[in-house]
């Protein structure tokens, strides 16, 4: 997995590019949280749930269905998020599904159960360029963690920033900021 520090790159890029009129601050925060929440499944490892189990790491919580459920939950709280139900649903669901998609680019692990419960298959993209993050804090803070951070800067943050800039210019936001 990319670290929990890099999963928010996608909602931050989209939210900042679209601006606070479309993605208000509260919705942006909900998207950031939704991009991290799937990794709470690592708690299951401490509870004895095997990695390969459907409730294990990169299992059900990394699925498109899980992302849709989070999106529906956000739609139910759209008023508190200061967004329309559609914007809350789409942004939070996209933020959550981006987690599994990023994990599918990593160099390790067992793959992502993106289609759960329809399929238990664990998937990767054919190109796997993001160095997999260690699951322990000690390893993350060591030499291996530094390699992971550099990989995430190159393969997560840089593309997210470039995509965010492209979206920003494609939506014409730069002209409105000057007016």
């Amino acid at each position: 997995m990319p670290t929990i520090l890099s999963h928010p790159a996608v909602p931050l890029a989209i939210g900042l590019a679209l601006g606070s009129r479309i993605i208000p601050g509260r919705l942006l925060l909900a998207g950031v949280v939704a991009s991290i929440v799937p990794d709470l499944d690592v708690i299951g490892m401490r509870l004895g749930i095997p990695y390969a189990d459907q409730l294990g790491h990169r299992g059900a919580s990394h699925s498109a269905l899980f992302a849709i459920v989070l999106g529906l939950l956000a739609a139910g709280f759209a008023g508190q998020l200061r967004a329309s139900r559609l914007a809350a649903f789409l942004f939070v669901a996209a933020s959550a599904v981006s987690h599994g998609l990023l994990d599918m680019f990593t160099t390790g692990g067992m793959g992502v159960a993106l289609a759960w419960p329809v399929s238990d298959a664990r998937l990767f993209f054919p190109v796997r360029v993001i160095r997999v993050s260690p699951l322990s804090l000690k390893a993350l803070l060591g030499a291996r963690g530094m390699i992971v951070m550099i990989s995430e800067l190159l393969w997560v943050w840089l593309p997210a920033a470039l995509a965010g800039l492209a979206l920003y210019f494609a939506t014409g936001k730069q002209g409105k900021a000057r007016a």
Side-chain angles (χ1 to χ4, degrees):
M1 70 179 168
T3 63
I4 61 167
L5 301 174
S6 288
H7 281 295
V10 173
L12 287 172
I14 295 169
L16 294 175
L18 293 177
S20 62
R21 295 183 104 192
I22 296 172
I23 308 296
R26 289 182 182 188
L27 181 56
L28 181 61
L29 179 60
V32 166
V33 170
S35 75
I36 296 169
V37 163
D39 272 344
L40 290 178
D41 63 8
V42 297
I43 294 169
M45 295 170 82
R46 299 241 187 243
L47 300 174
I49 298 172
Y51 189 118
D53 190 89
Q54 63 183 345
L55 297 178
H57 187 51
R58 292 186 173 179
S61 68
H62 285 58
S63 69
L65 177 62
F66 185 79
I68 290 168
V69 169
L70 286 182
L72 290 171
L73 184 64
F77 286 94
Q80 290 88 333
L81 296 173
R82 298 188 177 146
S84 71
R85 288 188 189 280
L86 182 61
F89 170 77
L90 290 174
F91 186 69
V92 169
S95 298
V97 83
S98 75
H99 184 111
L101 295 174
L102 283 176
D103 280 0
M104 289 171 62
F105 281 109
T106 62
T107 59
M110 296 179 65
V112 175
L114 193 65
W116 180 90
V118 175
S119 170
D120 289 338
R122 300 290 184 111
L123 308 170
F124 280 113
F125 285 119
V127 176
R128 297 168 55 192
V129 293
I130 303 170
R131 295 294 297 262
V132 70
S133 175
L135 293 176
S136 78
L137 184 60
K138 183 179 178 182
L140 183 60
L141 296 176
R144 183 171 167 213
M146 183 58 67
I147 292 168
V148 169
M149 295 297 178
I150 292 168
S151 172
E152 291 180 6
L153 284 171
L154 179 63
W155 298 110
V156 179
W157 285 99
L158 180 60
L162 292 174
L165 282 171
L167 180 60
Y168 177 78
F169 285 106
T171 58
K173 298 289 182 201
Q174 73 285 355
K176 294 177 185 173
R178 289 189 213 129

